[in-house]
Amino acid sequence: MMLCWSFKMNLIWFFLLLFLYLGVFSFGSSNDVSSRPAVVNIGAIFTFNSTIGKVAKLAIEEAVKDVNSNFSVLHGTKLAVKMRNSNCSGFDGMVQALQFMETDIVAIIGPQSSVVAHIISHVANELQVPLLSFAATDPTLSSLQFPFFVRTTRSDLYQMSAVAQIVDHYGWKEVIAIFIDDDYGRNGMSALDDKLAERRCRISYKLGIPPGPGATRGLMILSVAHYLQMMGDGFVWIATDWLSSLLDSALPLPSETMDTLQGVLVLRQHTPDSDRKRAFFSKWNKLTGGSLGLHSYGLYAYDTVWLVAHALDAFFNQGGIISFSNDSRIKSVEKGGSLHLEAMSIFDDGPLLLKNVLQSTFLGLTGPIKFDSERSLVLPAYDIINVLGTGFRRIGYWCNYSGLSTVPPEMLYSKPPNRSSANQQLYSVIWPGETLSKPRGWVFPNNGKQLRIGVPIRVSYREFVSQVRGTDNMFKGFCIDVFMAAVNLLPYAVPYRFIPFGDGQKNPSYNELVLDAAVGDIAIVTNRTKIVDFSQPYAASGLVVVAPVKKLNSSAWAFLRPFTARMWVVTAASFLVIGIVVWILEHRINDEFRGPPKRQLITILWFSISTLFFAHRENTVSTLGRLVLIIWLFVVLIINSSYTASLTSILTVQHLSSPIKGIESLKNSDEPIGYQVGSFAEHYLSEELGISKSRLIALGTPQAYAQALQLGPKKAGGVAAVVDERPYVELFLSSQCKFRVVGQEFTKSGWGFAFPRDSPLAVDMSTALLQLSENGDLQRIYDKWLRQSSCTLESTELESDRLHLKSFWGLFLICGIACFIALFIYFLQILNKLCRADPTPCVSTSPGNSRSRRLRRFLSLIDEKKDHSNSGSKRKKIVRSLSDNDKDDKLGRNPKKKQTEMTNRSEINSNN
């Protein structure tokens, strides 16, 4: 009886529980928007025994307790979390996710692994279940590809940005990257590569290691590096947040492990300090008894539970219902199979829950929880810590808002962003090897190989570069000293060895130099920049013309030297033309320009010459004449000043003369031209200037220069001039005073060090060369090798070009135009007067005598005196004369008064 009664009671309890279960389920599926289910199931997938999983498991459990104990969050509805262990396996994670899809799970927290997240995100998309990961940081987990994937932590895109900025901050340009060789690791390296490239840095070598637990693999790498003495002075190690998670959760680590971490820089996701965060840390320590530390991923796991709770609350407030339906596509696939895929169902209101997740905003343990337009948490930031002794210290922060700083990011958000280099600061670092000095970086090039630097074996001008006698790869000279000084300023070590180039019999052609780099007197020219990268020029180098010169002594005819013959002729003609023009304009109205032909000719000549000294006594009356005279006097002033200055120079400074005036006169001649063997001057003269190669003569040494120039162009082996780069010419002229540079430097170039295309060393060497120039070391090196004074230069000047017509043609043109306009207006006035005085000939069409008559009349008008314009002035003169005569008569000094009066009166009457 007892057994039967017991069986009945068990049966009653079974049906009661079944009723309650069905009641709960039906309650959750009810269409009544005002009701909420008593329990909402969520899932969690991660690796329980991993560095992140151990902390996340306890954090999720505590978050569920805190949510369920807070009625204001879900208003009586309880959260129930079902956890599954993925064992860091994509296959296990997929199986666990599929099992979740057979139940009434409305959201999944996790997975921890980015590789697993890629796999189960496809399942989440298909069944419309939001997947909220607190640890999957792969930047390729895109919301476009996986719309139901929500990252509740920071993307590695920001972490790689922080690493790149640290590398750039310390001036390093190349790094070696070690990563887990799976999709997550490779995607992280791709992001790092992009961020380094933005700062003109790069990954020189990538080392992938087999997949496995990240912390274990990382510690193994550092242990091997310590064994290989790569954790000492001169090395730099930067670790991502896997190491900070280990340090936060497992300190103190064994001493042998800590020894391998000394001096390492580590990134850690930044979580602002708050009272709530400190209270939770205190609670955590009580729960774990100090055996398990709390890292940032644990905090994000805790906040993820609260994010789901807030989203569910908004979901229910908007009338969301937890209901599921079968997927017809799965049924069609399952036909004839035994996988029981039909058990999986679609969360009908999954998109609404996802929308509320992305729109949720609250203050969590990790700071503000809010998503931006790209579905990433706002205000990404990282702590930068330095491992020291048995622990670590924070040396600064990185945030996407303003870069590196020693101030917590939350204090910067209220200020305008400032990413200037002066604002990027970190505290001092104790680097591997227990040194405060910033390491110069890794050895260049990769794999520790020495850089093979080609150096030409020069035969001439050995002051620039020359091989040390008795050695194979030792060189000296100006170029070598500059290179070595620049290398010493690089922020990293550059092991190199010089490789001689050339046969030692003649200067080699640099176009054939193909090595890791080239050092020497290498001109930066266009055809070379197409195959190599050059550093900043360290010496100016343009092509100049060197020619023989002779001294010019003053002579009795030195006053003619300032102007060329053409200039003298044009100037003299201009004086004569101006005299004629002014005479034409003044002849009709000015008595000073009238009279017998001989007198008028003398007046023209005298007036023209006297304007040179501004001593002309003839007054100009007409407006047009005055305009022409003003312009001409301005021209005379300029010519006079130029002539005086040039003559003064000729008479006071000793000059040198050369038949070659520059590259143009040399090009237009047919005389031979010398150039240095191996120089690009040959290519430039023949290809760019079009000079025939038959005129070009190769010269190998400064002695050959001097001999060829002394022989001259008329003798065999002689040249009219030598074309070479300025540094060589300056050194040549320091001991050869018979020659000078003629004309101007006709190309602008410089010498630089050559490197392979896209070599970062070219940029760094350019920076170093600029430093040498600014601190004066470059000038000191120049003075050491090239400052020579064996040839005492006298106070002489190479004869500059005489004053040519081309320097004044603008003035003559202005003056000529003024004369033309004045004459044109004057003749128009004459023609107008001619037509008004005799209108019939102006309209006559008879080509006979009327034409000659009009011409005679035109000439007579030009020659006749313009009475009406002078009558007033003449009347004044006559009246003044009469007045003077009256005075003389009173004084008894005018015996011919009567005769004079009669004459003057008759003239007055005739004028009237």
Side-chain angles (χ1 to χ4, degrees), residues 713-769:
K714 304 302 182 183
K715 297 181 180 180
V719 295
V722 171
V723 175
D724 206 349
E725 298 174 65
R726 180 171 287 278
Y728 303 124
V729 170
E730 290 177 348
L731 193 60
F732 170 71
L733 295 180
S734 65
S735 59
Q736 298 288 341
C737 298
K738 298 179 180 179
F739 315 104
R740 287 291 184 274
V741 174
V742 294
Q744 301 296 321
E745 183 176 309
F746 57 93
T747 65
K748 296 294 183 181
S749 182
W751 288 353
F753 303 130
F755 301 94
R757 296 301 299 269
D758 301 324
S759 172
L761 194 56
V763 178
D764 295 343
M765 286 294 286
S766 296
T767 303
L769 289 172

Side-chain angles (χ1 to χ4, degrees), residues 550-562:
K550 62 180 180 179
K551 294 182 179 179
L552 287 178
N553 298 320
S554 297
S555 65
W557 302 99
F559 68 90
L560 295 176
R561 280 167 50 189

Side-chain angles (χ1 to χ4, degrees), residues 14-27 41 104:
F14 172 77
F15 282 105
L16 179 61
L17 291 174
L18 181 62
F19 172 80
L20 289 174
Y21 174 76
L22 294 176
V24 169
F25 184 77
S26 62
F27 178 80
N41 294 314
D104 55 350

Side-chain angles (χ1 to χ4, degrees), residues 826-847:
Y826 176 77
F827 288 132
L828 283 180
Q829 293 174 347
I830 296 298
L831 289 175
N832 183 49
K833 186 176 181 63
L834 177 63
C835 290
R836 285 191 288 107
D838 189 9
T840 303
C842 293
V843 299
S844 176
T845 58
S846 176

